[in-house]
Amino acid sequence: MFDLTEAELGLRLLGCGDGPAAFNATLTQRGGKIISVDPVYAFDADQIRGRISETYATVMAQMRQNQSDYVWGVIPSVEQLGSLRLAAMETFLSDFHAGKQQGRYIPGELPTLPFAQGAFDIALSSHFLFLYSAHLSAEFHVQALQEMLRVSREVRVFPLLTLAGAPSPHLPFVQQHLSKNGIIGETKRVPYEFQRGGNAMLVIKSVHA
Protein backbone atom coordinates (compact mmCIF):
# COMPACT_ATOMS: atom_id res chain seq x y z
CA MET A 1 0.00 0.00 0.00
CA PHE A 2 2.99 2.32 0.42
CA ASP A 3 4.85 0.96 -2.63
CA LEU A 4 8.05 0.64 -0.58
CA THR A 5 11.09 -0.60 -2.47
CA GLU A 6 13.61 -3.03 -0.98
CA ALA A 7 16.01 -0.11 -0.53
CA GLU A 8 13.34 1.95 1.25
CA LEU A 9 12.57 -0.96 3.58
CA GLY A 10 16.17 -0.59 4.78
CA LEU A 11 15.71 3.06 5.79
CA ARG A 12 14.65 4.46 9.17
CA LEU A 13 10.86 4.06 9.18
CA LEU A 14 8.17 5.43 11.48
CA GLY A 15 4.63 4.04 11.59
CA CYS A 16 2.00 6.40 12.98
CA GLY A 17 -1.19 4.82 14.31
CA ASP A 18 0.04 1.31 13.55
CA GLY A 19 -2.15 -0.45 16.12
CA PRO A 20 -1.95 -4.26 16.41
CA ALA A 21 -0.34 -4.79 13.00
CA ALA A 22 2.42 -7.22 11.99
CA PHE A 23 4.55 -4.83 9.92
CA ASN A 24 6.92 -3.86 12.73
CA ALA A 25 7.51 -7.47 13.81
CA THR A 26 7.93 -8.72 10.24
CA LEU A 27 10.29 -5.95 9.14
CA THR A 28 12.35 -6.26 12.32
CA GLN A 29 12.80 -9.98 11.64
CA ARG A 30 14.16 -9.01 8.22
CA GLY A 31 16.68 -6.66 9.80
CA GLY A 32 14.75 -3.45 9.20
CA LYS A 33 14.65 -0.37 11.40
CA ILE A 34 11.14 0.71 12.39
CA ILE A 35 9.39 2.39 15.30
CA SER A 36 5.60 2.31 15.67
CA VAL A 37 3.55 4.87 17.60
CA ASP A 38 -0.02 4.31 18.79
CA PRO A 39 -1.99 5.12 21.96
CA VAL A 40 -2.91 1.43 22.31
CA TYR A 41 0.73 0.65 23.16
CA ALA A 42 0.11 2.09 26.63
CA PHE A 43 -1.67 -1.21 27.41
CA ASP A 44 -0.13 -4.63 27.85
CA ALA A 45 -0.48 -7.55 25.43
CA ASP A 46 -3.31 -9.22 27.39
CA GLN A 47 -5.34 -6.02 27.45
CA ILE A 48 -4.84 -5.50 23.71
CA ARG A 49 -5.75 -9.14 23.03
CA GLY A 50 -8.94 -8.67 25.05
CA ARG A 51 -9.90 -5.60 23.06
CA ILE A 52 -9.32 -7.45 19.79
CA SER A 53 -11.52 -10.32 20.99
CA GLU A 54 -14.28 -7.92 22.02
CA THR A 55 -14.42 -6.15 18.65
CA TYR A 56 -13.54 -8.93 16.20
CA ALA A 57 -17.07 -10.29 15.66
CA THR A 58 -18.50 -6.81 15.13
CA VAL A 59 -15.80 -5.87 12.62
CA MET A 60 -16.30 -9.08 10.64
CA ALA A 61 -20.07 -8.59 10.62
CA GLN A 62 -19.56 -5.09 9.19
CA MET A 63 -17.24 -6.50 6.53
CA ARG A 64 -19.87 -9.06 5.46
CA GLN A 65 -22.51 -6.35 5.31
CA ASN A 66 -20.30 -4.08 3.18
CA GLN A 67 -18.31 -6.64 1.20
CA SER A 68 -19.34 -5.10 -2.14
CA ASP A 69 -17.20 -2.10 -1.14
CA TYR A 70 -14.04 -4.22 -1.36
CA VAL A 71 -11.98 -5.92 -4.06
CA TRP A 72 -11.84 -9.66 -3.38
CA GLY A 73 -8.80 -10.84 -5.32
CA VAL A 74 -5.65 -11.66 -3.37
CA ILE A 75 -7.95 -11.96 -0.37
CA PRO A 76 -10.80 -14.10 -1.77
CA SER A 77 -13.38 -13.89 1.04
CA VAL A 78 -14.41 -12.29 4.33
CA GLU A 79 -13.46 -15.52 6.11
CA GLN A 80 -9.96 -15.46 4.63
CA LEU A 81 -9.64 -11.80 5.59
CA GLY A 82 -10.56 -12.68 9.16
CA SER A 83 -7.93 -15.42 9.28
CA LEU A 84 -5.26 -13.12 7.88
CA ARG A 85 -6.08 -10.35 10.33
CA LEU A 86 -6.03 -12.70 13.32
CA ALA A 87 -2.69 -14.13 12.19
CA ALA A 88 -1.26 -10.62 11.83
CA MET A 89 -2.49 -9.69 15.30
CA GLU A 90 -0.92 -12.82 16.77
CA THR A 91 2.39 -11.90 15.13
CA PHE A 92 2.10 -8.46 16.71
CA LEU A 93 1.12 -9.77 20.14
CA SER A 94 3.96 -12.29 20.25
CA ASP A 95 6.42 -9.48 19.42
CA PHE A 96 4.88 -6.72 21.52
CA HIS A 97 6.60 -7.25 24.89
CA ALA A 98 10.10 -7.54 23.43
CA GLY A 99 9.43 -4.77 20.92
CA LYS A 100 8.23 -2.41 23.63
CA GLN A 101 11.36 -3.09 25.68
CA GLN A 102 13.48 -2.40 22.59
CA GLY A 103 11.67 0.90 21.97
CA ARG A 104 9.95 -0.22 18.78
CA TYR A 105 6.41 0.25 20.15
CA ILE A 106 5.91 3.66 21.73
CA PRO A 107 2.65 4.99 23.21
CA GLY A 108 1.74 8.27 21.54
CA GLU A 109 -0.53 9.85 18.99
CA LEU A 110 -0.71 12.53 16.36
CA PRO A 111 -0.49 15.46 16.09
CA THR A 112 2.42 15.40 18.60
CA LEU A 113 5.27 12.91 18.23
CA PRO A 114 8.01 12.30 20.83
CA PHE A 115 10.92 12.38 18.38
CA ALA A 116 13.65 14.77 17.32
CA GLN A 117 13.52 16.64 14.04
CA GLY A 118 14.68 14.46 11.15
CA ALA A 119 14.87 11.25 13.23
CA PHE A 120 13.42 9.16 10.38
CA ASP A 121 13.69 8.81 6.63
CA ILE A 122 10.04 7.95 5.91
CA ALA A 123 6.96 8.29 8.13
CA LEU A 124 3.94 6.13 7.25
CA SER A 125 0.29 6.41 8.22
CA SER A 126 -2.11 3.63 7.24
CA HIS A 127 -5.90 3.69 7.62
CA PHE A 128 -6.10 6.66 9.97
CA LEU A 129 -5.63 10.05 8.31
CA PHE A 130 -8.26 10.78 5.62
CA LEU A 131 -10.07 7.50 6.37
CA TYR A 132 -11.59 9.11 9.48
CA SER A 133 -12.35 12.44 7.84
CA ALA A 134 -15.78 12.51 9.50
CA HIS A 135 -14.10 12.38 12.92
CA LEU A 136 -10.88 14.38 12.37
CA SER A 137 -10.86 17.95 11.04
CA ALA A 138 -8.90 19.23 8.06
CA GLU A 139 -6.84 21.31 10.50
CA PHE A 140 -5.96 18.16 12.46
CA HIS A 141 -4.77 16.54 9.24
CA VAL A 142 -2.52 19.52 8.45
CA GLN A 143 -1.04 19.51 11.96
CA ALA A 144 -0.49 15.74 11.85
CA LEU A 145 1.19 15.80 8.45
CA GLN A 146 3.42 18.72 9.37
CA GLU A 147 4.46 16.91 12.55
CA MET A 148 5.24 13.72 10.61
CA LEU A 149 7.30 15.79 8.18
CA ARG A 150 9.13 17.42 11.07
CA VAL A 151 10.50 14.05 12.18
CA SER A 152 11.07 12.56 8.71
CA ARG A 153 12.21 13.51 5.22
CA GLU A 154 9.13 12.05 3.55
CA VAL A 155 5.57 11.15 4.58
CA ARG A 156 3.26 8.60 2.95
CA VAL A 157 -0.44 8.29 3.81
CA PHE A 158 -2.83 5.56 2.61
CA PRO A 159 -5.69 5.45 1.70
CA LEU A 160 -7.16 8.77 0.59
CA LEU A 161 -10.76 7.54 0.92
CA THR A 162 -13.15 7.90 3.84
CA LEU A 163 -14.77 4.98 5.65
CA ALA A 164 -17.72 5.47 3.30
CA GLY A 165 -15.44 4.87 0.28
CA ALA A 166 -15.57 8.45 -0.98
CA PRO A 167 -12.55 10.69 -1.65
CA SER A 168 -11.67 12.55 1.53
CA PRO A 169 -13.12 16.09 1.51
CA HIS A 170 -10.02 17.22 3.42
CA LEU A 171 -7.52 16.35 0.70
CA PRO A 172 -7.81 19.54 -1.46
CA PHE A 173 -7.56 21.77 1.64
CA VAL A 174 -4.56 19.83 2.94
CA GLN A 175 -2.71 19.94 -0.38
CA GLN A 176 -3.38 23.66 -0.79
CA HIS A 177 -2.20 24.42 2.75
CA LEU A 178 0.97 22.35 2.36
CA SER A 179 1.78 24.01 -0.96
CA LYS A 180 1.46 27.48 0.57
CA ASN A 181 4.00 26.41 3.20
CA GLY A 182 6.60 25.13 0.75
CA ILE A 183 5.72 21.47 1.13
CA ILE A 184 5.41 19.29 -1.95
CA GLY A 185 2.36 17.03 -1.90
CA GLU A 186 1.69 14.45 -4.61
CA THR A 187 -0.94 11.77 -5.06
CA LYS A 188 0.52 8.50 -6.34
CA ARG A 189 -1.09 5.27 -7.49
CA VAL A 190 0.02 2.15 -5.63
CA PRO A 191 -0.11 -1.56 -6.63
CA TYR A 192 -2.62 -2.34 -3.88
CA GLU A 193 -6.39 -2.04 -3.73
CA PHE A 194 -8.68 -3.64 -1.17
CA GLN A 195 -11.13 -0.88 -0.34
CA ARG A 196 -12.69 -0.32 -3.77
CA GLY A 197 -11.08 2.74 -5.35
CA GLY A 198 -8.48 2.93 -2.59
CA ASN A 199 -5.34 2.58 -4.68
CA ALA A 200 -3.56 5.89 -4.08
CA MET A 201 -1.39 7.43 -1.40
CA LEU A 202 -0.36 10.98 -0.57
CA VAL A 203 3.41 11.56 -0.59
CA ILE A 204 4.70 14.76 0.93
CA LYS A 205 8.22 16.12 1.08
CA SER A 206 9.68 19.38 2.28
CA VAL A 207 11.35 21.42 -0.45
CA HIS A 208 14.41 21.30 1.80
CA ALA A 209 14.42 17.46 1.98
Side-chain angles (χ1 to χ4, degrees):
M1 64 184 71
F2 292 115
D3 202 19
L4 291 163
T5 65
E6 283 297 322
E8 288 168 343
L9 287 169
L11 299 176
R12 299 168 302 162
L13 302 180
L14 172 67
C16 296
D18 279 358
F23 183 57
N24 190 307
T26 303
L27 186 60
T28 299
Q29 287 174 354
R30 291 179 47 171
K33 299 179 288 291
I34 179 168
I35 290 177
S36 297
V37 175
D38 195 289
V40 78
Y41 302 153
F43 301 99
D44 62 32
D46 287 339
Q47 290 172 313
I48 297 172
R49 186 187 298 276
R51 181 59 179 160
I52 291 169
S53 298
E54 288 170 10
T55 58
Y56 178 76
T58 300
V59 171
M60 287 297 100
Q62 291 173 343
M63 290 298 302
R64 288 188 188 89
Q65 185 176 348
N66 301 311
Q67 56 186 301
S68 62
D69 296 337
Y70 297 88
V71 178
W72 301 99
V74 176
I75 302 172
S77 66
V78 174
E79 290 69 29
Q80 184 68 16
L81 172 68
S83 297
L84 288 170
R85 286 190 172 176
L86 285 178
M89 290 174 188
E90 283 300 326
T91 298
F92 161 79
L93 289 167
S94 64
D95 179 61
F96 182 61
H97 179 69
K100 198 168 180 180
Q101 288 186 320
Q102 294 162 7
R104 290 188 286 110
Y105 297 109
I106 296 179
E109 59 187 303
L110 291 168
T112 305
L113 297 172
F115 304 110
Q117 183 170 341
F120 302 91
D121 295 305
I122 304 176
L124 308 169
S125 178
S126 155
H127 296 87
F128 175 57
L129 295 175
F130 298 116
L131 191 69
Y132 291 95
S133 292
H135 306 83
L136 302 170
S137 69
E139 289 76 13
F140 175 92
H141 280 69
V142 168
Q143 292 171 10
L145 291 167
Q146 288 178 326
E147 177 70 349
M148 291 171 70
L149 196 58
R150 179 184 70 81
V151 303
S152 65
R153 294 187 294 107
E154 180 178 320
V155 175
R156 299 183 188 184
V157 180
F158 177 93
L160 304 180
L161 301 181
T162 67
L163 283 169
S168 169
H170 296 335
L171 187 57
F173 173 86
V174 166
Q175 289 180 303
Q176 184 179 29
H177 188 280
L178 294 175
S179 178
K180 284 181 180 177
N181 287 273
I183 300 170
I184 301 165
E186 182 181 1
T187 300
K188 289 187 175 181
R189 290 282 295 270
V190 297
Y192 173 90
E193 183 181 0
F194 182 52
Q195 188 182 18
R196 196 172 296 280
N199 58 358
M201 65 176 172
L202 177 66
V203 180
I204 64 173
K205 301 176 184 179
S206 169
V207 291
H208 306 297

